[in-house]
Amino acid sequence: MIIRPYEPADETGWLRCRVLAFLDTAYYDNVLKEKEHYARPSVELVAVENGAVVGLIDLELDTQPSEVCSNPDMRGAMIWHLAVHPDYRRQGIGRELLFEAMEKARVAGMQYLEAWTRDDRWVRDWYDKMGFELVQSYFQVYMDRPEDLKALVECKVPHLRPVSVFAHYDGSDKAFVFSKFSRAHETVRYDFYLK
Ligand SMILES: CC(C)(COP(=O)(O)OP(=O)(O)OC[C@H]1O[C@@H](n2cnc3c(N)ncnc32)[C@H](O)[C@@H]1OP(=O)(O)O)[C@@H](O)C(=O)NCCC(=O)NCCS
């Protein structure tokens, strides 16, 4: 297995690796058809074994605080994508990708790394294990039950009838969120301070 910079010819392998990695997570339906490209400086690495992409990481770097990341006082690198092919999990590939990307971010002058993830316990455990700190959270909710949509969503366009709504909830009533909606996720921010 080697870790090297992403190249345009990796795109199909990158997309396949990413979709497979997320299938058994809370992001199971977050599918991309094209790899993202970044307006600002970035670190884009892939882990390759026998010619196939088995892991990937993308960071986008602040050129000034708060441009991409949340901290108003520090320049950060946002982890937009991090995934290891399910057949290659728990072999240290995620850790190696992270450490190599971290070093590049540090050399580029970044002071911290920021990541957002949903409520998969094992993924959070991985961030804890890598030394990240949980600093913030909010909820993401999906509404598709007709009775919820009727009671909670008002549409101002005549003849337009929402059948599914995705929304962010930044209140603190966790019990309400998890009892009310058919699908809800606590989404958490993890930071790692670079020395
Ligand atoms: C989270 C992820 C990047 C970790 O990469 P990895 O190469 O599998 O992890 P590493 O080998 O570096 O670290 C292994 C540790 O991760 C955790 N872990 C990874 N997969 C796990 C699983 N299926 N079940 C439980 N723990 C798991 C464990 O703590 C494990 O340590 P252990 O084997 O000593 O118990 C990878 O599993 C993945 O792609 N997950 C799905 C996509 C995702 O959630 N990405 C995160 C950004 S939102």
Side-chain angles (χ1 to χ4, degrees):
M1 194 274 299
I2 56 155
I3 291 180
R4 60 160 174 77
Y6 170 84
E7 296 163 5
D10 296 322
E11 185 171 26
T12 302
W14 190 98
L15 291 167
R16 287 181 181 165
C17 176
R18 184 182 172 280
V19 81
L20 287 173
F22 282 103
L23 269 182
D24 61 349
T25 75
Y27 287 100
Y28 62 89
D29 52 354
N30 181 259
V31 175
L32 294 183
K33 287 183 74 184
E34 289 172 7
K35 185 187 180 300
E36 254 183 275
H37 300 289
Y38 306 98
R40 297 178 191 80
S42 62
V43 175
E44 300 169 52
L45 302 175
V46 286
V48 176
E49 184 158 292
N50 297 325
V53 175
V54 297
L56 57 96
I57 189 166
D58 274 17
L59 309 183
E60 189 177 13
L61 313 186
D62 275 335
T63 55
Q64 49 189 321
S66 275
E67 226 175 24
V68 184
C69 296
S70 308
N71 192 317
D73 304 315
M74 288 183 183
R75 283 170 72 204
M78 181 68 84
I79 303 181
W80 285 128
H81 299 286
L82 168 61
V84 172
H85 187 293
D87 296 346
Y88 292 83
R89 276 180 193 158
R90 302 179 96 156
Q91 297 176 22
I93 296 174
R95 188 185 60 233
E96 290 301 313
L97 282 164
L98 177 72
F99 287 178
E100 199 154 328
M102 246 178 199
E103 182 54 18
K104 290 185 187 304
R106 196 185 60 74
V107 169
M110 297 306 109
Q111 294 160 285
Y112 81 109
L113 252 63
E114 179 171 328
W116 289 84
T117 193
R118 284 183 178 168
D119 26 22
D120 298 292
R121 188 63 262 167
W122 59 277
V123 177
R124 290 193 187 188
D125 288 346
W126 184 85
Y127 277 111
D128 290 337
K129 207 169 178 173
M130 296 300 123
F132 282 76
E133 287 173 34
L134 198 160
V135 292
Q136 189 184 342
S137 75
Y138 70 101
F139 298 91
Q140 297 181 333
V141 299
Y142 291 81
M143 285 173 252
D144 52 15
R145 289 191 291 238
E147 62 273 23
D148 290 344
L149 290 162
K150 208 170 163 191
L152 302 171
V153 179
E154 197 176 301
C155 181
K156 293 186 174 157
V157 180
H159 308 296
L160 192 70
R161 187 171 46 84
V163 290
S164 159
V165 168
F166 172 65
H168 287 187
Y169 171 85
D170 58 12
S172 56
D173 195 345
K174 189 171 179 172
F176 162 75
V177 168
F178 283 101
S179 62
K180 184 71 197 164
F181 303 107
S182 52
R183 181 176 166 198
H185 298 290
E186 185 180 30
T187 302
V188 292
R189 170 180 154 201
Y190 278 101
D191 285 357
F192 182 98
Y193 298 98
L194 297 164
K195 293 189 185 96

